[in-house]
Amino acid sequence: MAYITCSAQVLSNADSVVVVTVPGQLSYAHFSHDGTLFVTGGHDTAVRIWDFRTLAQVGGYTLVNGGATSHAEFLPGGNDLLISRGDSVLRWNWHEQKTVWVKPGHYATASADGAVLIIVGSDNQYSVADPATGNVQRSFGVYSSTFVIPRLHLTQSGDRLLAGGPGSGYVLYDVTSGSVLDSFNLEAQGASVRNARFAGGEDRILFASRTPTLLGIAADDTLLKIADQGQTDDADMSPTGEYIATLSLFKQVRLWNAKTGALVKELGTQGLPGYSLIFSPDGRFVLSSSLDHSVRIWPVPTISAVETAPRATVGDVPLAAYPDPASDQIVAHYSMSASGAMHLALLNSLGVQVLSVEHAAEEAGTHQAVLDTRALPSGVYFLRLRASGHETTRTVRVQH
């Protein structure tokens, strides 16, 4: 995989990732609604605007008195940014380099059609404001998370608000009435949810957690759980609903089948962890930010170019391993047809077990386990899964 800095030509190469170096450590990167621009910022005083075609910086905003910008997003049309500065929020016209309005508050977000603006005020209430003036019209609810940066997501029309943050769970509000429609506390199940957003329309929510979860809102149905990631810092569904992309705490960016939860492709890794990952509006790219002073643009493979690992199947137990050959770790992706004990072992060429993972009780469904191969010599190994009354073995390679 090629790593290229600021090269527009790479955007048509499905085998390459573009790395754009940015002066500050990033905590967010977002596209304009038409996908022609993207904005970056986070841990320094500057918000930067980039042309997605040329990857040239075309504009920006700088805090004159220091501090950091916790969030910035484009308003429809792409001429104005909604910027959150911690103690105030503002609408900034980057073409004319002027402030349209500024209001006290911690954080702000707008609906995709630009008709609804939500501001987390200094009193931590959610306020519905006029996008043209920033003037508050009414308030409801209270942001109660211990996380510094709120996570707010509106439906496209702005009629519902999903709000929360790590440690507090998420609440779904009716924006018109301010009433609570539902609440989701995956934290009670031991899952640290780093972000949550509407996915594949407005009737599903995708939770970025240890086990990324797609939930149907109407009946609180769990539609999909993706195999154990250790911790996912962000996740997004492609506009077509075909893929889910995840960004893990371990700096890995992955692409998954949104219907089956199967791993489609290891897109690659970042230099340091990041907090933000999002599909382009046309679904052809994934944009991720990193604390290593970079934003990465990952091409999404076409159906014909999708790389899927070979699967060995005995009975109802499929087993796949990525990458192959492996260097630092082997990620085993497997499915349990029924709940029960699971034993995963890595055997050397003599049949001696060198690594293993064992669970006395595991639920039916798709799971993932990671084997640390850094201390193993290069060579051919056998990955063996015993689960659901079946045994599956496949060959894997370790190469340092």
mmCIF file of all heavy atoms in Angstrom, residues 190-234:
data_model
loop_
_atom_site.group_PDB
_atom_site.id
_atom_site.type_symbol
_atom_site.label_atom_id
_atom_site.label_comp_id
_atom_site.label_asym_id
_atom_site.label_seq_id
_atom_site.Cartn_x
_atom_site.Cartn_y
_atom_site.Cartn_z
ATOM 1 N N GLY A 190 -21.098 -3.132 29.715
ATOM 2 C CA GLY A 190 -19.636 -3.187 29.680
ATOM 3 C C GLY A 190 -19.030 -2.636 28.420
ATOM 4 O O GLY A 190 -17.834 -2.833 28.164
ATOM 5 N N ALA A 191 -19.810 -1.924 27.602
ATOM 6 C CA ALA A 191 -19.309 -1.375 26.350
ATOM 7 C C ALA A 191 -19.098 0.124 26.482
ATOM 8 O O ALA A 191 -20.027 0.854 26.810
ATOM 9 C CB ALA A 191 -20.292 -1.655 25.214
ATOM 10 N N SER A 192 -17.871 0.583 26.271
ATOM 11 C CA SER A 192 -17.585 2.007 26.275
ATOM 12 C C SER A 192 -17.893 2.551 24.887
ATOM 13 O O SER A 192 -17.178 2.289 23.924
ATOM 14 C CB SER A 192 -16.109 2.257 26.618
ATOM 15 O OG SER A 192 -15.803 3.637 26.522
ATOM 16 N N VAL A 193 -18.998 3.284 24.765
ATOM 17 C CA VAL A 193 -19.426 3.808 23.471
ATOM 18 C C VAL A 193 -18.743 5.148 23.228
ATOM 19 O O VAL A 193 -19.006 6.126 23.917
ATOM 20 C CB VAL A 193 -20.958 3.962 23.415
ATOM 21 C CG1 VAL A 193 -21.385 4.541 22.082
ATOM 22 C CG2 VAL A 193 -21.635 2.624 23.661
ATOM 23 N N ARG A 194 -17.861 5.188 22.227
ATOM 24 C CA ARG A 194 -17.106 6.400 21.947
ATOM 25 C C ARG A 194 -17.877 7.363 21.051
ATOM 26 O O ARG A 194 -17.637 8.563 21.072
ATOM 27 C CB ARG A 194 -15.782 6.036 21.280
ATOM 28 C CG ARG A 194 -14.938 5.068 22.078
ATOM 29 C CD ARG A 194 -14.393 5.684 23.346
ATOM 30 N NE ARG A 194 -13.419 6.726 23.055
ATOM 31 C CZ ARG A 194 -12.762 7.422 23.987
ATOM 32 N NH1 ARG A 194 -13.024 7.198 25.271
ATOM 33 N NH2 ARG A 194 -11.884 8.339 23.657
ATOM 34 N N ASN A 195 -18.777 6.828 20.241
ATOM 35 C CA ASN A 195 -19.594 7.683 19.390
ATOM 36 C C ASN A 195 -20.822 6.886 18.951
ATOM 37 O O ASN A 195 -20.832 5.663 19.010
ATOM 38 C CB ASN A 195 -18.811 8.156 18.158
ATOM 39 C CG ASN A 195 -19.450 9.374 17.495
ATOM 40 O OD1 ASN A 195 -20.447 9.913 17.973
ATOM 41 N ND2 ASN A 195 -18.877 9.819 16.389
ATOM 42 N N ALA A 196 -21.857 7.596 18.534
ATOM 43 C CA ALA A 196 -23.063 6.960 18.012
ATOM 44 C C ALA A 196 -23.673 7.907 17.002
ATOM 45 O O ALA A 196 -23.701 9.122 17.209
ATOM 46 C CB ALA A 196 -24.057 6.660 19.131
ATOM 47 N N ARG A 197 -24.143 7.362 15.881
ATOM 48 C CA ARG A 197 -24.735 8.207 14.843
ATOM 49 C C ARG A 197 -25.810 7.435 14.088
ATOM 50 O O ARG A 197 -25.846 6.209 14.095
ATOM 51 C CB ARG A 197 -23.665 8.697 13.861
ATOM 52 C CG ARG A 197 -22.803 7.602 13.255
ATOM 53 C CD ARG A 197 -22.096 8.091 11.977
ATOM 54 N NE ARG A 197 -21.266 9.245 12.169
ATOM 55 C CZ ARG A 197 -19.947 9.222 12.344
ATOM 56 N NH1 ARG A 197 -19.300 8.069 12.369
ATOM 57 N NH2 ARG A 197 -19.254 10.318 12.484
ATOM 58 N N PHE A 198 -26.703 8.186 13.450
ATOM 59 C CA PHE A 198 -27.717 7.576 12.604
ATOM 60 C C PHE A 198 -27.023 6.918 11.419
ATOM 61 O O PHE A 198 -26.047 7.446 10.875
ATOM 62 C CB PHE A 198 -28.721 8.621 12.124
ATOM 63 C CG PHE A 198 -29.538 9.225 13.238
ATOM 64 C CD1 PHE A 198 -29.236 10.481 13.740
ATOM 65 C CD2 PHE A 198 -30.594 8.525 13.792
ATOM 66 C CE1 PHE A 198 -29.972 11.033 14.770
ATOM 67 C CE2 PHE A 198 -31.353 9.072 14.828
ATOM 68 C CZ PHE A 198 -31.032 10.325 15.319
ATOM 69 N N ALA A 199 -27.524 5.751 10.993
ATOM 70 C CA ALA A 199 -26.859 4.985 9.943
ATOM 71 C C ALA A 199 -27.876 4.408 8.973
ATOM 72 O O ALA A 199 -28.927 3.919 9.390
ATOM 73 C CB ALA A 199 -26.040 3.841 10.558
ATOM 74 N N GLY A 200 -27.543 4.472 7.678
ATOM 75 C CA GLY A 200 -28.404 3.862 6.675
ATOM 76 C C GLY A 200 -29.814 4.419 6.689
ATOM 77 O O GLY A 200 -30.779 3.676 6.584
ATOM 78 N N GLY A 201 -29.936 5.723 6.847
ATOM 79 C CA GLY A 201 -31.249 6.354 6.976
ATOM 80 C C GLY A 201 -31.429 6.893 8.382
ATOM 81 O O GLY A 201 -30.464 7.246 9.054
ATOM 82 N N GLU A 202 -32.661 6.940 8.858
ATOM 83 C CA GLU A 202 -32.940 7.542 10.159
ATOM 84 C C GLU A 202 -33.570 6.565 11.140
ATOM 85 O O GLU A 202 -33.969 6.952 12.228
ATOM 86 C CB GLU A 202 -33.851 8.761 9.972
ATOM 87 C CG GLU A 202 -33.232 9.809 9.055
ATOM 88 C CD GLU A 202 -34.068 11.067 8.936
ATOM 89 O OE1 GLU A 202 -35.220 11.046 9.415
ATOM 90 O OE2 GLU A 202 -33.573 12.056 8.370
ATOM 91 N N ASP A 203 -33.636 5.270 10.760
ATOM 92 C CA ASP A 203 -34.272 4.292 11.630
ATOM 93 C C ASP A 203 -33.287 3.354 12.303
ATOM 94 O O ASP A 203 -33.674 2.402 12.966
ATOM 95 C CB ASP A 203 -35.298 3.474 10.844
ATOM 96 C CG ASP A 203 -34.673 2.722 9.679
ATOM 97 O OD1 ASP A 203 -33.527 3.039 9.317
ATOM 98 O OD2 ASP A 203 -35.338 1.818 9.126
ATOM 99 N N ARG A 204 -31.974 3.620 12.138
ATOM 100 C CA ARG A 204 -30.948 2.794 12.752
ATOM 101 C C ARG A 204 -29.858 3.671 13.366
ATOM 102 O O ARG A 204 -29.611 4.785 12.902
ATOM 103 C CB ARG A 204 -30.318 1.846 11.719
ATOM 104 C CG ARG A 204 -31.256 0.750 11.241
ATOM 105 C CD ARG A 204 -30.627 -0.106 10.158
ATOM 106 N NE ARG A 204 -30.494 0.621 8.906
ATOM 107 C CZ ARG A 204 -29.903 0.133 7.811
ATOM 108 N NH1 ARG A 204 -29.367 -1.081 7.849
ATOM 109 N NH2 ARG A 204 -29.855 0.839 6.694
ATOM 110 N N ILE A 205 -29.225 3.151 14.415
ATOM 111 C CA ILE A 205 -28.122 3.858 15.067
ATOM 112 C C ILE A 205 -26.919 2.920 15.115
ATOM 113 O O ILE A 205 -27.044 1.744 15.476
ATOM 114 C CB ILE A 205 -28.499 4.303 16.496
ATOM 115 C CG1 ILE A 205 -29.659 5.308 16.454
ATOM 116 C CG2 ILE A 205 -27.298 4.921 17.203
ATOM 117 C CD1 ILE A 205 -30.191 5.670 17.823
ATOM 118 N N LEU A 206 -25.759 3.440 14.750
ATOM 119 C CA LEU A 206 -24.516 2.687 14.800
ATOM 120 C C LEU A 206 -23.704 3.167 15.992
ATOM 121 O O LEU A 206 -23.372 4.348 16.098
ATOM 122 C CB LEU A 206 -23.723 2.892 13.502
ATOM 123 C CG LEU A 206 -22.370 2.189 13.394
ATOM 124 C CD1 LEU A 206 -22.525 0.671 13.496
ATOM 125 C CD2 LEU A 206 -21.681 2.580 12.099
ATOM 126 N N PHE A 207 -23.401 2.254 16.920
ATOM 127 C CA PHE A 207 -22.644 2.574 18.124
ATOM 128 C C PHE A 207 -21.198 2.115 17.951
ATOM 129 O O PHE A 207 -20.945 0.940 17.645
ATOM 130 C CB PHE A 207 -23.252 1.885 19.352
ATOM 131 C CG PHE A 207 -24.633 2.370 19.704
ATOM 132 C CD1 PHE A 207 -25.752 1.756 19.181
ATOM 133 C CD2 PHE A 207 -24.801 3.444 20.568
ATOM 134 C CE1 PHE A 207 -27.027 2.196 19.500
ATOM 135 C CE2 PHE A 207 -26.064 3.897 20.899
ATOM 136 C CZ PHE A 207 -27.188 3.277 20.368
ATOM 137 N N ALA A 208 -20.255 3.027 18.151
ATOM 138 C CA ALA A 208 -18.837 2.685 18.113
ATOM 139 C C ALA A 208 -18.409 2.294 19.519
ATOM 140 O O ALA A 208 -18.295 3.127 20.409
ATOM 141 C CB ALA A 208 -18.005 3.875 17.625
ATOM 142 N N SER A 209 -18.200 0.984 19.726
ATOM 143 C CA SER A 209 -17.881 0.473 21.053
ATOM 144 C C SER A 209 -16.929 -0.708 20.906
ATOM 145 O O SER A 209 -16.399 -0.964 19.831
ATOM 146 C CB SER A 209 -19.151 0.034 21.780
ATOM 147 O OG SER A 209 -19.746 -1.060 21.102
ATOM 148 N N ARG A 210 -16.707 -1.426 22.000
ATOM 149 C CA ARG A 210 -15.846 -2.611 21.938
ATOM 150 C C ARG A 210 -16.364 -3.609 20.906
ATOM 151 O O ARG A 210 -15.598 -4.240 20.177
ATOM 152 C CB ARG A 210 -15.772 -3.284 23.312
ATOM 153 C CG ARG A 210 -14.860 -4.505 23.344
ATOM 154 C CD ARG A 210 -14.795 -5.114 24.731
ATOM 155 N NE ARG A 210 -13.932 -6.281 24.738
ATOM 156 C CZ ARG A 210 -12.634 -6.268 24.952
ATOM 157 N NH1 ARG A 210 -12.030 -5.102 25.159
ATOM 158 N NH2 ARG A 210 -11.915 -7.366 24.937
ATOM 159 N N THR A 211 -17.680 -3.736 20.836
ATOM 160 C CA THR A 211 -18.332 -4.536 19.802
ATOM 161 C C THR A 211 -19.269 -3.610 19.048
ATOM 162 O O THR A 211 -20.405 -3.406 19.470
ATOM 163 C CB THR A 211 -19.126 -5.704 20.415
ATOM 164 O OG1 THR A 211 -18.280 -6.480 21.252
ATOM 165 C CG2 THR A 211 -19.692 -6.600 19.335
ATOM 166 N N PRO A 212 -18.811 -2.968 17.956
ATOM 167 C CA PRO A 212 -19.668 -2.029 17.230
ATOM 168 C C PRO A 212 -21.028 -2.647 16.926
ATOM 169 O O PRO A 212 -21.120 -3.771 16.433
ATOM 170 C CB PRO A 212 -18.866 -1.757 15.948
ATOM 171 C CG PRO A 212 -17.443 -1.966 16.358
ATOM 172 C CD PRO A 212 -17.475 -3.095 17.337
ATOM 173 N N THR A 213 -22.086 -1.896 17.246
ATOM 174 C CA THR A 213 -23.442 -2.439 17.212
ATOM 175 C C THR A 213 -24.352 -1.563 16.375
ATOM 176 O O THR A 213 -24.365 -0.336 16.537
ATOM 177 C CB THR A 213 -24.007 -2.551 18.638
ATOM 178 O OG1 THR A 213 -23.161 -3.403 19.418
ATOM 179 C CG2 THR A 213 -25.411 -3.109 18.628
ATOM 180 N N LEU A 214 -25.125 -2.200 15.494
ATOM 181 C CA LEU A 214 -26.143 -1.512 14.703
ATOM 182 C C LEU A 214 -27.501 -1.848 15.303
ATOM 183 O O LEU A 214 -27.878 -3.016 15.399
ATOM 184 C CB LEU A 214 -26.077 -1.965 13.246
ATOM 185 C CG LEU A 214 -27.009 -1.257 12.255
ATOM 186 C CD1 LEU A 214 -26.670 0.227 12.155
ATOM 187 C CD2 LEU A 214 -26.940 -1.918 10.889
ATOM 188 N N LEU A 215 -28.217 -0.814 15.716
ATOM 189 C CA LEU A 215 -29.474 -1.006 16.441
ATOM 190 C C LEU A 215 -30.629 -0.405 15.661
ATOM 191 O O LEU A 215 -30.538 0.734 15.178
ATOM 192 C CB LEU A 215 -29.377 -0.345 17.815
ATOM 193 C CG LEU A 215 -30.505 -0.618 18.811
ATOM 194 C CD1 LEU A 215 -30.428 -2.045 19.324
ATOM 195 C CD2 LEU A 215 -30.426 0.366 19.979
ATOM 196 N N GLY A 216 -31.712 -1.166 15.518
ATOM 197 C CA GLY A 216 -32.936 -0.636 14.933
ATOM 198 C C GLY A 216 -33.707 0.143 15.983
ATOM 199 O O GLY A 216 -33.984 -0.378 17.069
ATOM 200 N N ILE A 217 -34.052 1.387 15.699
ATOM 201 C CA ILE A 217 -34.651 2.255 16.707
ATOM 202 C C ILE A 217 -36.063 1.809 17.077
ATOM 203 O O ILE A 217 -36.426 1.772 18.252
ATOM 204 C CB ILE A 217 -34.680 3.717 16.219
ATOM 205 C CG1 ILE A 217 -33.254 4.223 15.981
ATOM 206 C CG2 ILE A 217 -35.383 4.603 17.233
ATOM 207 C CD1 ILE A 217 -33.197 5.605 15.389
ATOM 208 N N ALA A 218 -36.868 1.444 16.087
ATOM 209 C CA ALA A 218 -38.295 1.208 16.321
ATOM 210 C C ALA A 218 -38.562 0.186 17.415
ATOM 211 O O ALA A 218 -39.387 0.393 18.301
ATOM 212 C CB ALA A 218 -38.967 0.772 15.019
ATOM 213 N N ALA A 219 -37.848 -0.931 17.377
ATOM 214 C CA ALA A 219 -38.115 -1.991 18.352
ATOM 215 C C ALA A 219 -36.891 -2.317 19.207
ATOM 216 O O ALA A 219 -36.849 -3.350 19.868
ATOM 217 C CB ALA A 219 -38.574 -3.248 17.616
ATOM 218 N N ASP A 220 -35.908 -1.415 19.217
ATOM 219 C CA ASP A 220 -34.650 -1.656 19.937
ATOM 220 C C ASP A 220 -34.041 -3.003 19.536
ATOM 221 O O ASP A 220 -33.488 -3.726 20.368
ATOM 222 C CB ASP A 220 -34.865 -1.621 21.455
ATOM 223 C CG ASP A 220 -35.034 -0.188 21.966
ATOM 224 O OD1 ASP A 220 -34.888 0.732 21.149
ATOM 225 O OD2 ASP A 220 -35.307 -0.010 23.145
ATOM 226 N N ASP A 221 -34.143 -3.352 18.261
ATOM 227 C CA ASP A 221 -33.609 -4.616 17.777
ATOM 228 C C ASP A 221 -32.127 -4.478 17.454
ATOM 229 O O ASP A 221 -31.729 -3.539 16.758
ATOM 230 C CB ASP A 221 -34.350 -5.071 16.506
ATOM 231 C CG ASP A 221 -35.772 -5.527 16.801
ATOM 232 O OD1 ASP A 221 -36.014 -5.948 17.942
ATOM 233 O OD2 ASP A 221 -36.608 -5.454 15.893
ATOM 234 N N THR A 222 -31.330 -5.404 17.943
ATOM 235 C CA THR A 222 -29.924 -5.438 17.558
ATOM 236 C C THR A 222 -29.836 -6.091 16.184
ATOM 237 O O THR A 222 -30.084 -7.284 16.026
ATOM 238 C CB THR A 222 -29.082 -6.221 18.579
ATOM 239 O OG1 THR A 222 -29.183 -5.572 19.850
ATOM 240 C CG2 THR A 222 -27.621 -6.277 18.148
ATOM 241 N N LEU A 223 -29.508 -5.316 15.174
ATOM 242 C CA LEU A 223 -29.471 -5.794 13.801
ATOM 243 C C LEU A 223 -28.132 -6.431 13.455
ATOM 244 O O LEU A 223 -28.068 -7.339 12.631
ATOM 245 C CB LEU A 223 -29.755 -4.640 12.838
ATOM 246 C CG LEU A 223 -31.068 -3.868 13.076
ATOM 247 C CD1 LEU A 223 -31.183 -2.713 12.099
ATOM 248 C CD2 LEU A 223 -32.257 -4.803 12.946
ATOM 249 N N LEU A 224 -27.053 -5.958 14.097
ATOM 250 C CA LEU A 224 -25.722 -6.445 13.753
ATOM 251 C C LEU A 224 -24.751 -6.121 14.874
ATOM 252 O O LEU A 224 -24.818 -5.050 15.476
ATOM 253 C CB LEU A 224 -25.245 -5.775 12.458
ATOM 254 C CG LEU A 224 -23.857 -6.166 11.940
ATOM 255 C CD1 LEU A 224 -23.879 -7.586 11.378
ATOM 256 C CD2 LEU A 224 -23.402 -5.193 10.857
ATOM 257 N N LYS A 225 -23.860 -7.085 15.163
ATOM 258 C CA LYS A 225 -22.725 -6.833 16.045
ATOM 259 C C LYS A 225 -21.461 -7.243 15.301
ATOM 260 O O LYS A 225 -21.392 -8.348 14.760
ATOM 261 C CB LYS A 225 -22.850 -7.618 17.355
ATOM 262 C CG LYS A 225 -23.810 -6.994 18.357
ATOM 263 C CD LYS A 225 -23.679 -7.658 19.714
ATOM 264 C CE LYS A 225 -24.543 -6.949 20.743
ATOM 265 N NZ LYS A 225 -24.388 -7.548 22.093
ATOM 266 N N ILE A 226 -20.485 -6.344 15.285
ATOM 267 C CA ILE A 226 -19.214 -6.623 14.625
ATOM 268 C C ILE A 226 -18.248 -7.179 15.644
ATOM 269 O O ILE A 226 -18.241 -6.775 16.810
ATOM 270 C CB ILE A 226 -18.664 -5.352 13.954
ATOM 271 C CG1 ILE A 226 -19.573 -4.954 12.792
ATOM 272 C CG2 ILE A 226 -17.241 -5.545 13.458
ATOM 273 C CD1 ILE A 226 -19.178 -3.683 12.104
ATOM 274 N N ALA A 227 -17.398 -8.097 15.197
ATOM 275 C CA ALA A 227 -16.494 -8.819 16.091
ATOM 276 C C ALA A 227 -15.676 -7.877 16.972
ATOM 277 O O ALA A 227 -15.387 -6.740 16.606
ATOM 278 C CB ALA A 227 -15.556 -9.703 15.272
ATOM 279 N N ASP A 228 -15.297 -8.380 18.119
ATOM 280 C CA ASP A 228 -14.566 -7.658 19.154
ATOM 281 C C ASP A 228 -13.364 -6.913 18.577
ATOM 282 O O ASP A 228 -12.479 -7.499 17.980
ATOM 283 C CB ASP A 228 -14.090 -8.660 20.208
ATOM 284 C CG ASP A 228 -13.505 -7.968 21.425
ATOM 285 O OD1 ASP A 228 -13.297 -6.755 21.379
ATOM 286 O OD2 ASP A 228 -13.268 -8.666 22.417
ATOM 287 N N GLN A 229 -13.346 -5.589 18.793
ATOM 288 C CA GLN A 229 -12.259 -4.756 18.276
ATOM 289 C C GLN A 229 -11.270 -4.325 19.349
ATOM 290 O O GLN A 229 -10.317 -3.625 19.057
ATOM 291 C CB GLN A 229 -12.852 -3.486 17.656
ATOM 292 C CG GLN A 229 -13.669 -3.743 16.422
ATOM 293 C CD GLN A 229 -12.817 -4.208 15.289
ATOM 294 O OE1 GLN A 229 -12.066 -3.447 14.711
ATOM 295 N NE2 GLN A 229 -12.859 -5.492 14.996
ATOM 296 N N GLY A 230 -11.478 -4.725 20.599
ATOM 297 C CA GLY A 230 -10.684 -4.163 21.686
ATOM 298 C C GLY A 230 -11.319 -2.872 22.133
ATOM 299 O O GLY A 230 -11.747 -2.712 23.266
ATOM 300 N N GLN A 231 -11.428 -1.897 21.243
ATOM 301 C CA GLN A 231 -12.196 -0.674 21.443
ATOM 302 C C GLN A 231 -12.252 0.061 20.113
ATOM 303 O O GLN A 231 -11.239 0.250 19.457
ATOM 304 C CB GLN A 231 -11.589 0.241 22.498
ATOM 305 C CG GLN A 231 -12.316 1.565 22.676
ATOM 306 C CD GLN A 231 -13.764 1.381 23.130
ATOM 307 O OE1 GLN A 231 -14.031 0.713 24.115
ATOM 308 N NE2 GLN A 231 -14.703 1.967 22.402
ATOM 309 N N THR A 232 -13.443 0.458 19.710
ATOM 310 C CA THR A 232 -13.622 1.248 18.498
ATOM 311 C C THR A 232 -13.876 2.690 18.891
ATOM 312 O O THR A 232 -14.773 2.976 19.676
ATOM 313 C CB THR A 232 -14.804 0.706 17.667
ATOM 314 O OG1 THR A 232 -14.520 -0.638 17.285
ATOM 315 C CG2 THR A 232 -15.022 1.548 16.430
ATOM 316 N N ASP A 233 -13.063 3.596 18.338
ATOM 317 C CA ASP A 233 -13.212 5.006 18.661
ATOM 318 C C ASP A 233 -14.251 5.703 17.784
ATOM 319 O O ASP A 233 -14.861 6.679 18.196
ATOM 320 C CB ASP A 233 -11.869 5.732 18.548
ATOM 321 C CG ASP A 233 -11.017 5.555 19.788
ATOM 322 O OD1 ASP A 233 -11.583 5.272 20.858
ATOM 323 O OD2 ASP A 233 -9.790 5.698 19.710
ATOM 324 N N ASP A 234 -14.450 5.212 16.555
ATOM 325 C CA ASP A 234 -15.490 5.772 15.715
ATOM 326 C C ASP A 234 -15.887 4.742 14.664
ATOM 327 O O ASP A 234 -15.117 3.827 14.346
ATOM 328 C CB ASP A 234 -15.034 7.060 15.029
ATOM 329 C CG ASP A 234 -16.207 7.957 14.626
ATOM 330 O OD1 ASP A 234 -17.368 7.578 14.906
ATOM 331 O OD2 ASP A 234 -15.969 9.026 14.041
#
